Amino acid sequence: MSLIVSKFGGSSVSDAASINRVADRIVAMKTQGHDVVVVVSAMGDTTDELIDLAEQVVGSSEPPQREMDILLTAGERISMALLAMAIDSRGVPAQAFTGQQAGLITDASHGNARIIDVTPGRITECLGTGSVAIVAGFQGVNPDANDVTTLGRGGSDTTAVALAAGLGADVCEIYTDVDGVFTADPRIVPTARRIERITSDEMLEMAAHGAKILHLRSVEYARRFGVEIHVRSSFSMKEGTHVITPSEEEEGEMEAPIISGVAHDRSQAKVTCVGVPDVPGAAARLFETVAGAGVNIDMIVQNVSVAATGKTDISFTLPASDVALVRAALSLLADELGYDDVLYQDDIGKLSLVGAGMRSHPGVSAKLFGSLRDAGVNIEMISTSEIRISVVTAADQLDTAVRAVHTAFGLDAAEVEAVVYGGSGR
Ligand code: ADP
Ligand code: ASP
Ligand code: MG
C-alpha cells in the first residue's frame, strides 16, 4: 500500500461527466489499497473566466489583489466539493478541504504567494479514517492577516508537490490532458515524442521557458524535497513521464540525451531603450529601476545605437504582463538617464532548446541557427545556459521555428503519438 498524491488539472474536471470519470479513477486506486490525496484545479477555463469577469467589473483599473485571490480560490472550491461528492456517491468516503484547511501556509504576496510551511494535520486525520482527502489546488493562507492567497497561474501542481513532500507520499501524480511531457507542446508539434524520463534540471528549463505542462515552482519544490513527479493523462492509461532527480553519481552513469525538447513562450515582451549614453553606470541605473519595479527580466542585448555614436541601445525581455510597471518606472528615469526613446513590443516569441547533453556536444548552436535560417526565421535575441539555448523571434514565426528546430534535432516521432485529449489551450 502506498500514499499517492494525485493532481487533476482543469481540463480533467471540466464538466460533470469528467468529474465522474476522475472519481472512478480515484475509487480504483482506493480499491487497490492505496491512501489517496487528490488535488484539483478549477473546472475547465473557470480561472480565466473569473479574471475576465473581474476585468469587466473594474474597467481600466486594476482589481485589488486581496479580493482577486478570494475570487479565484472560489474556482478550486467548486471542483473540490463536486469531486468529493462524486467519490462519496460511489461508496468511498471523501472529504474536501480548502488550501487553508489542508495547511498550505504562504507569505502575503497575493497572486503569487510562496509556500512557507505545510501543516497537513487534517489531511493525515482524514486518511486515518479511510477517507479520500480532496484538496483545492493553487491556494493557501497567509497566517498574519488570515487571508487566502493564490500561488500563481498553474499553481495547483505546486500544491500537489508540497503536499506530497509534507505527507511523505510515495509519488506525486500530475494528471492532465496529454500523455506526459513531450519533446515539444503537442498542440504545436503533432509529431512530438513522449519523454519517458526527464531530469528535474531539464524539466526546470522547459517549465521556466514556457512549457506549461508543469508549474515551474512545482519542479523546484520536487527537486528540493526529493519528490518524484509522474506526469500522465487522466484520459488514457498510458505510462506518462517520470521527472527524476538523479544523484551526482547516478547522473554520471546516465547518458544524457543531447536534446530533450523544445519549449516555446508567447507571454514575453521586449523593451528597447534607444540612445542610452554609453557611459559607465548607465546599464546599472536602468536595471536598478526595472528591478525596483519588482520586474524579473530574462534576456538582455546591448548594441551600438541606431540613434547616434556614443550611445547604445539596450533591449531586454520580460513578462508582457509587467510592461505597464516598467513603462511607469522608466518614464521617471528619462531625464536622469537621457535616453532618446523607449520601444515596447509584445509581438515576440521565444524558443528554447533544452538538453543536458549539449554541455558536452559542440555544434548545437550552429545547428539551431542553421535550421532557423533554412526555415526563414529571423533571430532577434539569443541567450544561453549550460543546458539551454533560447532565441527570440517574431511572434508569427514562432510555430514555424519550433517545428523546424524539432525536426532538425531528430525529435519527430515515427508515428504520431501526441494526442491532446481536452482543454482549450488557454
Ligand atoms: P492542466 O489544466 O492539466 O494543469 P495545463 O494546460 O496547465 O494542464 O498543461 C497541459 C498543457 O501543457 C498541454 O495541453 C500542452 O498543450 C502544454 N504543453 C506545453 N509544453 C508541453 C510539453 N513539452 N509536453 C506536454 N505538454 C506541453
Ligand atoms: N486554476 C488555476 C489556474 O488556472 C491553477 C491551476 O490550474 O493550476 O491557473
Ligand atoms: Mg497546469
Side-chain angles (χ1 to χ4, degrees), residues 53-391:
L53 263 178
E55 283 170 0
Q56 286 165 32
V57 169
V58 301
S60 59
S61 51
E62 284 286 309
Q65 290 182 316
R66 175 182 178 276
E67 320 313 315
M68 197 65 193
D69 273 357
I70 294 178
L71 176 69
L72 296 188
T73 51
E76 269 68 12
R77 290 178 177 219
I78 294 171
S79 41
M80 76 172 189
L82 291 172
L83 183 58
M85 291 174 197
I87 295 171
D88 199 76
S89 75
R90 284 160 171 73
V92 172
Q95 269 189 298
F97 298 92
T98 65
Q100 175 167 15
Q101 289 172 320
L104 271 294
I105 314 294
T106 76
D107 65 13
S109 327
H110 286 291
N112 197 24
R114 300 245 144 206
I115 298 171
I116 51 177
D117 199 7
V118 182
T119 52
R122 287 199 66 181
I123 305 299
T124 310
E125 244 173 64
C126 171
L127 295 175
T129 66
S131 297
V132 176
I134 317 286
V135 179
F138 163 68
Q139 57 183 269
V141 64
N142 159 31
D144 299 332
N146 196 20
D147 276 335
V148 292
T149 52
T150 62
L151 309 182
R153 297 306 308 271
S156 298
D157 298 337
T158 300
T159 304
V161 171
L163 275 174
L167 292 163
D170 296 279
V171 63
C172 179
E173 297 182 321
I174 305 285
Y175 285 91
T176 182
D177 54 14
V178 289
D179 283 313
V181 181
F182 282 73
T183 47
D185 186 343
R187 285 179 206 270
I188 294 189
V189 184
T191 50
R193 244 189 346 226
R194 181 176 59 85
I195 303 170
E196 270 173 43
R197 280 150 58 92
I198 186 168
T199 63
S200 51
D201 279 350
E202 291 163 307
M203 194 61 235
L204 275 176
E205 292 279 9
M206 295 277 285
H209 296 278
K212 73 164 181 164
I213 181 82
L214 285 175
H215 193 225
L216 173 62
R217 279 161 46 200
S218 73
V219 188
E220 287 168 349
Y221 208 106
R223 202 165 107 103
R224 182 142 45 98
F225 290 92
V227 174
E228 185 190 321
I229 298 182
H230 183 185
V231 183
R232 54 196 308 194
S233 170
S234 70
F235 297 81
S236 83
M237 297 306 284
K238 293 194 180 152
E239 179 48 32
T241 299
H242 295 270
V243 182
I244 52 164
T245 303
S247 64
E248 256 173 50
E249 192 179 296
E250 287 164 339
E251 207 164 10
E253 287 165 10
M254 281 168 63
E255 173 135 44
I258 301 174
I259 300 302
S260 295
V262 187
H264 73 279
D265 190 353
R266 273 179 231 289
S267 67
Q268 299 273 304
K270 178 175 158 189
V271 176
T272 305
C273 271
V274 181
V276 180
D278 195 5
V279 293
R285 196 66 198 100
L286 174 64
F287 289 112
E288 276 163 15
T289 305
V290 173
V295 173
N296 269 324
I297 56 163
D298 180 17
M299 297 187 190
I300 303 176
V301 169
Q302 175 170 332
N303 270 329
V304 175
S305 182
V306 292
T309 48
K311 294 193 168 190
T312 65
D313 291 349
I314 301 179
S315 299
F316 56 94
T317 58
L318 72 171
S321 53
D322 286 345
V323 165
L325 284 174
V326 165
R327 202 187 278 270
L330 288 186
S331 67
L332 301 175
L333 194 69
D335 287 342
E336 184 193 331
L337 205 58
Y339 54 76
D340 295 328
D341 200 3
V342 191
L343 309 176
Y344 297 93
Q345 247 183 294
D346 59 11
D347 53 352
I348 61 159
K350 187 173 75 178
L351 174 154
S352 300
L353 187 64
V354 174
M358 72 170 72
R359 280 190 188 111
S360 51
H361 275 82
V364 174
S365 319
K367 192 167 182 175
L368 169 67
F369 301 145
S371 66
L372 292 172
R373 174 201 58 213
D374 295 346
V377 174
N378 189 38
I379 302 171
E380 296 184 22
M381 296 169 102
I382 301 168
S383 80
T384 60
S385 83
E386 221 190 352
I387 62 167
R388 172 186 54 83
I389 308 171
S390 299
V391 296

Side-chain angles (χ1 to χ4, degrees), residues 43-63:
M43 294 170 69
D45 289 333
T46 302
T47 308
D48 291 293
E49 287 156 12
L50 292 172
I51 292 171
D52 290 349
L53 263 178
E55 283 170 0
Q56 286 165 32
V57 169
V58 301
S60 59
S61 51
E62 284 286 309

